[in-house]
Amino acid sequence: MDILIYAASGPEGGERTLARRLLALALEQEFHLSPPPETAKEPGGKPFFPSRPDICFNISHSHGAAVCALHDKPVGVDIEKLRSAPRRLAGGMEDEAFFRLWTAKEATIKRRGEGIGALLLPLEPDPRCRCLEGLLEGYLITVCPSEDAAVRAVRME
């Protein structure tokens, strides 16, 4: 199965709702599920569908944009708006380099189902992480699959 990525941008402040809508739309279009199955959370906070263990998903949002990833294996995804990096965390890195590393680390942690606090620990991103260039202008999107697979990205208007 391809890793499915749905992405969209909208007004700032509505990104959480947008992320949930993207997930519902992807489930309807790809799996003919409407409404979406109920979700539960693993101990680290990673959401899952108890009634559909064959569908793994992850969502992320940032400054008016959202992204949703679906696969049949655990997957993590992160989106960040390109902006000035927080200097205390960036340690002299250029803004884009910092957010490339940050999104790869966060997608790795989210795929593993670890808490966000793990981001502050020394962590090398999984080498399978891929930055999806140009999917949403002005944003970096990184997906971290459990295994190598083709990525099919859908940009929603």
Side-chain angles (χ1 to χ4, degrees):
M1 173 181 174
D2 289 350
I3 299 165
L4 306 169
I5 306 292
Y6 276 60
S9 60
E12 205 160 322
E15 53 272 348
R16 289 179 189 269
T17 300
L18 182 58
R20 288 190 297 273
R21 286 183 179 163
L22 279 175
L23 177 60
L25 180 65
L27 289 167
E28 184 175 353
Q29 289 189 356
E30 304 293 339
F31 299 97
H32 310 290
L33 294 175
S34 183
E38 289 196 31
T39 61
K41 290 191 176 185
E42 295 175 355
K46 183 174 178 64
F48 69 99
F49 300 126
S51 66
R52 292 299 304 261
D54 58 316
I55 303 173
C56 298
F57 75 97
N58 198 233
I59 60 174
S60 183
H61 48 79
S62 175
H63 301 271
V67 64
C68 160
L70 296 158
H71 197 232
D72 60 352
K73 307 275 186 302
V75 62
V77 69
D78 190 48
I79 183 172
E80 289 291 339
K81 183 174 184 162
L82 283 172
R83 59 192 189 280
S84 295
R87 295 297 155 213
R88 66 181 183 11
L89 295 176
M93 293 176 76
E94 295 293 324
D95 297 336
E96 185 172 337
F98 170 79
F99 284 112
R100 281 181 181 273
L101 180 60
W102 183 270
T103 59
K105 285 183 173 190
E106 190 160 338
T108 298
I109 288 166
K110 290 171 76 175
R111 188 206 67 223
R112 293 178 184 170
E114 298 173 355
I116 201 71
L119 265 176
L120 301 177
L121 301 173
L123 168 80
E124 288 298 317
D126 189 301
R128 289 176 289 226
C129 286
R130 286 184 250 170
C131 187
L132 305 177
E133 304 285 344
L135 182 54
L136 287 180
E137 188 174 335
Y139 294 88
L140 282 175
I141 299 170
T142 300
V143 62
C144 186
S146 296
E147 60 184 37
D148 289 328
V151 174
R152 182 165 52 92
V154 178
R155 180 180 174 173
M156 303 303 298
E157 297 299 323

